[in-house]
Amino acid sequence: MAELVVEDIVKEYPTRTERLVVLKGCSFSLSAGQALAILGPSGSGKSTLLHIVGTLDRPTSGSVRLGGVDPFGLAEASLARFRSERIGFVFQDHYLLPQCTVLENVLVPALAAGGVTPAIVERAQTLLARVGLSERLDHLPSEISGGERQRAALARALVMRPMLLLADEPTGNLDRAAAAAVARLLVDLQREESLMLVLVTHSLELASHFPRRAELEGGRLQPLAGAPSLSPP
Ligand code: ADP
């Protein structure tokens, strides 16, 4: 059964002269443990779509259901809690807090959700070890490399055990070797944690790690040749 159902998403922005229709009806669905890579050039609407799926922005029309819940039907405070419990985000920029250590940064979502328990600290340490940072727990973000910062951001995104991980150009600021390491971790952690993953990128190389791929073009989502359908049975 699909745990994420995205149906006929339309997004328009009013501009001074006309309405800008960025998304013209985008649909896809994922079951637990499935990943989708969405390709498209800069300006095609990838971030817009990802923000809507992540409940950070509302569609002009269309619907999102995650784990059977319509997030846009929730009041603002419930929506914030829903988002922090169910969705993890990795962006092109790591957004780590510069004054906090790597471990503290990974614990930030737990603080926001009501408290850091010993179990959460253990989860954070386990994740940081999994992404190769167990020797860097007490370092500040400025004391580690760009690839390490992005791996810490990945651990932070997963600390609350979300059902859905959203990644927006997660390797966009990295050199080739660091990008390959982050891509491998995304693929492996998505499987290990049985996560749903939606990744948007303009990088064919990054998208090639995922069997299910689609292209956002002209405001619509099309499966890439040879890739599985966007709505599994
Ligand atoms: P991508 O992530 O593929 O680069 P975006 O989703 O960021 O594309 O943007 C898609 C289009 O929507 C762009 O033309 C952008 O200028 C426009 N856009 C994005 N956000 C807004 C906004 N808040 N107001 C008006 N136009 C916007």
Side-chain angles (χ1 to χ4, degrees):
M1 197 188 71
E3 288 286 307
L4 172 65
V5 183
V6 175
E7 235 165 358
D8 210 13
I9 296 293
V10 171
K11 182 67 180 180
E12 302 176 358
Y13 292 112
T15 67
R16 244 165 302 180
T17 47
E18 53 178 9
R19 280 178 317 153
L20 176 65
V21 188
V22 176
L23 303 175
K24 296 182 178 166
C26 294
S27 303
F28 68 89
S29 50
L30 294 179
S31 303
Q34 286 188 325
L36 172 67
I38 298 176
L39 276 157
S42 178
S44 57
K46 301 183 301 298
S47 298
T48 301
L49 179 58
L50 205 74
H51 284 169
I52 291 170
V53 174
T55 75
L56 295 168
D57 195 5
R58 286 171 191 265
T60 306
S61 64
S63 66
V64 173
R65 288 188 82 79
L66 179 59
V69 174
D70 165 16
F72 299 121
L74 300 173
E76 212 44 55
S78 308
L79 176 59
R81 193 166 58 244
F82 174 89
R83 189 187 301 126
S84 73
E85 287 173 358
R86 299 206 182 189
I87 308 175
F89 294 89
V90 188
F91 298 100
Q92 180 165 350
D93 293 312
H94 53 80
Y95 296 118
L96 298 173
L97 300 173
Q99 71 278 26
C100 293
T101 65
V102 166
L103 178 60
E104 287 165 350
N105 265 289
V106 173
L107 291 170
V108 163
L111 276 177
V116 174
T117 61
I120 292 273
V121 175
E122 197 182 324
R123 164 88 173 150
Q125 287 169 332
T126 303
L127 279 168
L128 282 165
R130 179 65 189 82
V131 300
L133 292 177
S134 43
E135 307 294 313
R136 299 284 184 277
L137 301 188
D138 297 326
H139 287 234
L140 294 174
S142 59
E143 298 167 343
I144 58 176
S145 71
E148 288 172 333
R149 285 193 281 269
Q150 202 57 329
R151 285 187 267 142
L154 183 53
R156 181 188 52 193
L158 297 181
V159 75
M160 300 304 287
R161 299 184 188 276
M163 62 192 300
L164 172 64
L165 177 64
L166 300 177
D168 191 346
E169 297 287 8
T171 60
N173 286 346
L174 304 179
D175 65 38
R176 216 181 155 86
V182 167
R184 230 179 356 258
L185 274 171
L186 272 172
V187 171
D188 292 346
L189 282 166
Q190 184 258 326
R191 290 208 191 112
E192 289 165 25
E193 305 257 323
S194 256
L195 284 166
M196 292 184 285
L197 168 66
V198 182
L199 170 134
V200 302
T201 182
H202 67 269
S203 162
L204 258 174
E205 187 173 340
L206 176 58
S208 70
H209 288 85
F210 300 90
R212 194 178 302 274
R213 290 188 299 277
E215 187 163 32
L216 188 53
E217 206 190 354
R220 293 181 199 280
L221 209 48
Q222 312 283 358
L224 279 188
S229 133
L230 294 179
S231 294

